[in-house]
Amino acid sequence: MRIEIPRTHPRYESLVIRERLVEGFEKGLAVPQGLIAHGRGECFDYLIGEKTIEPALKAMKAAVAALLLARHPVISVNGNVAALVPDGVVKLARAVGAKIEVNLFYRSEERVRKIAEELRSHGADEVLGVDDAVATIPELFSERRRVSPRGIYVADVVLVAIEDGDRTEALRKMGKTVIAIDLNPISRTSLAASITIVDNVTRAIPKLAELAESAKTEPRGNLEEILRNYDNSEVLSEVLNHINRRLGELSEKIRREVRSPGEP
Ligand code: PTJ
């Protein structure tokens, strides 16, 4: 940590997360573009109220069911995710029996290796996508097309986070179930995913690991029913309604409480 942030600071959590990402950038895990992406995320986090909202929890329960029911679940990790929640990724992978694969938009072999090392230092046994990213996702032209034939390529369920839209669409076209964690409910990723968790990865990944620990003893029939009843467009619309309602309430509060200069 480069600066000491007092616990009493009203923006403590958010500033700590920023520092973690900057540290990840300085260690060579995240790219500068990742810092910009985070700023975009922060703006949406502000709009939802910087907490896990009900529709996100609903999506998380469906995500856990999909991961536990999957034959080949894979958690895809990029620079931002490795910098922000390496521990949570390892715990979640263990809880649902998923493989972990590094997959980068701004791919460099050095960064792939550093991210894999970071995940291993947090307890990951195996990290795919390092020397084995030799399969190709069809119709995808970014470096993200390079995937492991033992990981994302054969996965039936893939969890992605802080992701650009193209790959989610391409993975869906390959017939995979895509779980996305994205604070922007109207991003292309959010709209294209099978299950969209509109929450900060720093809250969502640990919460998913916790939910998975308690759901893994559930009978398959219960998990299948959760998935059958899940409707992603309904969840996205609930998120937008939440933001709408919240902004309406804030607007009323400001009208009541904030005085113009010169007013008594
Ligand atoms: O490490 P690499 O090379 O794979 O590059 C990763 C980045 C993040 C640079 C790349 O995926 C990118 O450019 O992402 P985008 O297109 O900016 O999309 C990021 C999305 O994630 C946006 O919709 C943001 O609102 C959202 N987001 C940003 N930070 C968070 C987030 N969602 C959840 N939690 C966050 N902390």
Side-chain angles (χ1 to χ4, degrees):
M1 180 106 24
R2 286 144 21 120
I3 56 159
E4 195 59 43
I5 303 163
R7 279 205 165 266
T8 49
H9 193 288
R11 311 242 2 103
Y12 177 78
E13 288 294 335
S14 170
L15 292 176
V16 168
I17 296 170
R18 269 193 188 180
E19 287 300 311
R20 214 182 297 157
L21 187 58
V22 170
E23 268 174 34
F25 167 66
E26 287 169 347
K27 275 160 75 179
L29 304 174
V31 282
Q33 293 86 341
L35 306 180
I36 297 169
H38 186 75
R40 190 170 354 171
E42 278 184 341
C43 173
F44 284 100
D45 210 5
Y46 229 91
L47 294 180
I48 65 169
E50 295 175 302
K51 59 175 199 240
T52 300
I53 57 175
E54 211 38 54
L57 202 56
K58 210 187 271 183
M60 283 185 207
K61 287 179 184 159
V64 163
L67 287 164
L68 287 171
L69 289 168
R71 280 187 317 281
H72 298 294
V74 174
I75 301 174
S76 177
V77 176
N78 67 11
N80 284 39
V81 172
L84 292 175
V85 275
D87 197 46
V89 165
V90 175
K91 284 196 179 118
L92 176 60
R94 210 168 276 154
V96 297
K99 288 194 163 27
I100 299 175
E101 178 165 342
V102 179
N103 183 276
L104 303 180
F105 188 79
Y106 300 100
R107 187 181 173 98
S108 82
E109 297 314 312
E110 192 194 349
R111 196 153 67 91
V112 170
R113 265 194 306 279
K114 281 188 179 164
I115 291 172
E117 259 165 46
E118 178 74 7
L119 293 165
R120 278 194 215 101
S121 77
H122 284 267
D125 302 323
E126 187 184 30
V127 181
L128 301 175
V130 185
D131 300 314
D132 61 340
V134 292
T136 305
I137 301 177
E139 293 177 52
L140 190 61
F141 301 102
S142 74
E143 280 297 292
R144 282 219 158 117
R145 73 184 182 280
R146 297 172 54 184
V147 290
S148 164
R150 291 200 301 123
I152 291 171
Y153 194 73
V154 291
D156 50 349
V157 177
V158 185
L159 185 146
V160 301
I162 318 182
E163 171 92 10
D164 65 298
D166 291 350
R167 190 166 65 127
T168 304
E169 285 168 4
L171 292 172
R172 287 301 307 276
K173 276 195 194 145
M174 288 173 84
K176 300 177 194 298
T177 296
V178 180
I179 301 164
I181 304 174
D182 191 330
L183 276 161
N184 177 359
I186 50 170
S187 71
R188 275 193 308 138
T189 299
S190 287
L191 299 175
S194 326
I195 299 172
T196 308
I197 300 165
V198 181
D199 201 5
N200 200 314
V201 285
T202 57
R203 294 187 298 268
I205 295 269
K207 186 73 191 167
L208 281 166
E210 181 196 314
L211 291 172
E213 278 302 335
S214 51
K216 67 185 184 191
T217 49
E218 285 277 331
R220 283 183 76 83
N222 292 6
L223 299 174
E224 280 161 1
E225 194 178 342
I226 292 173
L227 267 190
R228 244 195 328 274
N229 294 333
Y230 182 77
D231 179 344
N232 205 46
S233 46
E234 185 57 38
V235 162
L236 288 174
S237 135
E238 283 173 26
V239 172
L240 291 172
N241 286 338
H242 165 87
I243 293 174
N244 217 356
R245 217 173 24 248
R246 193 162 175 275
L247 293 182
E249 284 163 11
L250 280 173
S251 135
E252 277 310 307
K253 189 166 183 280
I254 286 168
R255 207 193 303 259
R256 276 197 313 274
E257 293 175 8
V258 181
R259 300 265 169 272
S260 307
E263 265 187 70

